[in-house]
C-alpha cells in the first residue's frame, strides 16, 4: 500500500519538520485520521517529494518529520484531458476519477452545445472546486 500524499507550498518542502495545515491538514487529521508514527508523503506538486512520518496530530493539522527527500521526474508522455462542462457536481467527479487514473492536466471546455457556462464569479468558483478536487 502506498503512503497518503499531500500537497504543500514549495517553500515548506525543504524544512526538516513540515506542518501540514489548512485544507490538507484538516483532511489528513479529520478525514484520513492519520496518527503519530504513520508514514505520509508530501509534495510541492512540481517534482519534490518528502517521505515523512507523522510526529504529532492536532485537531486540524499534523507535524511531519521528514525522513527522506526525492526529486520525481515529470511523467512522459504527459496526459491531458479536455473535459466538457457537465451539469451539477459531475465535473468534480470527473476531475477526481481522471486524477486517480493518472491524468496530468484536466482542461475545462465550454462546448458550443453545453448548457453550463462558466462566467464571472460563478465560473471562478466552479474552477476552484475542480482545482481542489484534483
Amino acid at each position: 500500500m502506498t503512503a497518503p500524499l499531500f500537497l504543500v507550498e514549495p517553500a515548506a518542502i525543504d524544512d526538516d519538520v513540515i506542518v501540514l495545515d489548512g485544507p490538507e491538514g484538516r483532511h489528513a487529521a479529520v478525514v484520513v485520521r492519520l496518527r503519530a508514527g504513520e508514514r505520509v508523503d508530501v509534495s510541492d506538486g512540481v517534482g519534490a517529494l518528502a517521505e515523512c512520518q507523522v510526529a504529532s496530530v492536532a485537531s486540524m493539522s499534523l507535524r511531519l518529520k521528514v525522513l527522506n527527500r526525492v526529486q520525481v521526474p515529470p511523467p512522459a508522455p504527459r496526459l491531458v484531458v479536455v473535459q466538457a462542462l457537465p451539469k451539477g457536481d459531475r465535473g468534480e467527479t470527473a476531475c477526481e476519477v481522471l486524477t486517480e487514473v493518472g491524468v496530468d492536466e484536466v482542461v475545462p471546455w465550454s462546448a458550443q452545445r453545453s448548457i453550463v457556462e462558466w462566467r464571472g464569479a460563478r465560473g471562478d468558483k466552479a474552477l476552484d472546486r475542480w482545482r481542489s478536487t484534483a
Side-chain angles (χ1 to χ4, degrees):
M1 188 167 132
T2 60
L5 175 67
F6 297 96
L7 295 175
V8 295
E9 294 297 322
I13 203 86
D14 295 328
D15 297 337
D16 290 333
V17 174
I18 297 172
V19 176
L20 187 63
D21 55 7
E24 291 284 284
R26 181 196 170 285
H27 184 76
V30 177
V31 178
V32 183
R33 299 180 186 167
L34 291 171
R35 300 291 172 238
E38 293 189 77
R39 267 265 301 115
V40 297
D41 289 339
V42 176
S43 175
D44 64 358
V46 290
L49 180 79
E51 298 169 351
C52 303
Q53 183 176 38
V54 178
S56 64
V57 180
S59 62
M60 302 289 261
S61 66
L62 303 176
R63 287 180 55 80
L64 308 173
K65 178 184 174 192
V66 176
L67 305 173
N68 188 33
R69 285 186 181 81
V70 294
Q71 189 66 33
V72 179
R78 189 168 152 72
L79 298 175
V80 177
V81 171
V82 177
Q83 170 66 48
L85 303 178
K87 293 195 293 184
D89 64 348
R90 292 182 179 152
E92 288 84 16
T93 303
C95 281
E96 184 176 359
V97 171
L98 291 168
T99 302
E100 288 172 353
V101 298
V103 169
D104 298 303
E105 183 177 356
V106 180
V107 178
W109 173 49
S110 182
Q112 184 178 13
R113 298 183 68 144
S114 289
I115 295 170
V116 176
E117 293 182 7
W118 283 3
R119 291 191 180 145
R122 181 178 181 210
D124 294 341
K125 185 177 177 183
L127 182 58
D128 286 343
R129 280 196 314 267
W130 278 36
R131 285 181 175 151
S132 68
T133 300

